[in-house]
Amino acid sequence: MAIREVVSYKDEFIRRKSKPVKVFDEKLWELLDDMHETLDEKMGAGLSAVQVGVLKNVFITNINNMQMEFVNPVITKTSGEQYKKEGCLSVALPFEYVKRPFEVTVEAFDRYGNPFTFTCQDWTAVCICHEYDHLQGILYIDKACIPPKGKGEE
Ligand code: NI
């Protein structure tokens, strides 16, 4: 296991699109293990592979000490809306409000290639949308907004 360097938003690499994982092998597991170690070290809530310099459709989350791994994720359903202030381990700028669905369903594979479906709400949904965006080269600062009156939560 190793802590990997996090790519900055100033680096154009962060804008590149990630590609599907085809082989669920030791190299993928090492990537995921390193990503967990990196996320723990930086005390973040989520991390995508592009942020550690690997263009693979992979992200991890750690919310309330629940670690999850998503390989080849696809958001298949969304509902509702919420505005929360987001930050990013790649972006050394102030947190900004972003509009996200309140609930999302994501279909993905675990590290062994087993498919699963996960539905979540609230902060977990924010985190999954944020990481999912990274796989398309999108950053939260692209979507920063001013929430409608009374809708913004810290
Ligand atoms: Ni991020």
Side-chain angles (χ1 to χ4, degrees):
M1 299 247 291
I3 292 167
R4 300 206 186 184
E5 199 175 323
V6 175
V7 178
S8 164
Y9 73 107
K10 292 177 184 167
D11 187 334
E12 274 302 307
F13 185 87
I14 206 82
R15 294 299 186 173
R16 291 180 61 184
K17 287 199 172 116
S18 295
K19 302 218 161 58
V21 169
K22 293 198 176 110
V23 189
F24 294 76
D25 60 358
E26 287 88 348
K27 212 176 156 198
L28 174 67
W29 305 339
E30 190 186 357
L31 169 67
L32 284 161
D33 290 344
D34 286 358
M35 285 171 66
H36 282 297
E37 199 174 340
T38 306
L39 186 61
D40 286 353
E41 162 78 13
K42 312 276 183 198
M43 295 193 295
L47 187 70
S48 57
V50 59
Q51 289 180 276
V52 294
V54 179
L55 291 171
K56 283 186 176 165
N57 283 340
V58 171
F59 65 73
I60 62 165
T61 58
N62 186 348
I63 295 163
N64 300 326
N65 290 318
M66 187 171 81
Q67 292 186 335
M68 290 195 74
E69 300 175 343
F70 300 83
V71 179
N72 296 342
V74 179
I75 291 177
T76 53
K77 202 174 156 210
T78 65
S79 65
E81 60 176 50
Q82 58 179 328
Y83 294 82
K84 284 188 168 64
K85 272 192 168 178
E86 297 183 23
C88 178
L89 294 180
S90 292
V91 183
L93 289 173
F95 286 27
E96 298 273 9
Y97 281 112
V98 179
K99 181 185 180 182
R100 301 289 190 187
F102 183 75
E103 180 174 290
V104 304
T105 297
V106 55
E107 290 180 16
F109 295 85
D110 69 14
R111 62 166 62 200
Y112 307 107
N114 303 306
F116 67 93
T117 303
F118 179 67
T119 298
C120 58
Q121 299 88 19
D122 215 310
W123 271 110
T124 312
V126 168
C127 191
I128 282 178
C129 291
H130 177 118
E131 298 312 323
Y132 190 69
D133 275 354
H134 271 299
L135 306 184
Q136 345 292 327
I138 299 165
L139 299 175
Y140 80 92
I141 45 175
D142 306 341
K143 296 184 165 179
C145 70
I146 296 165
K149 219 165 190 286
K151 291 255 185 167
E153 303 169 50
E154 287 294 315

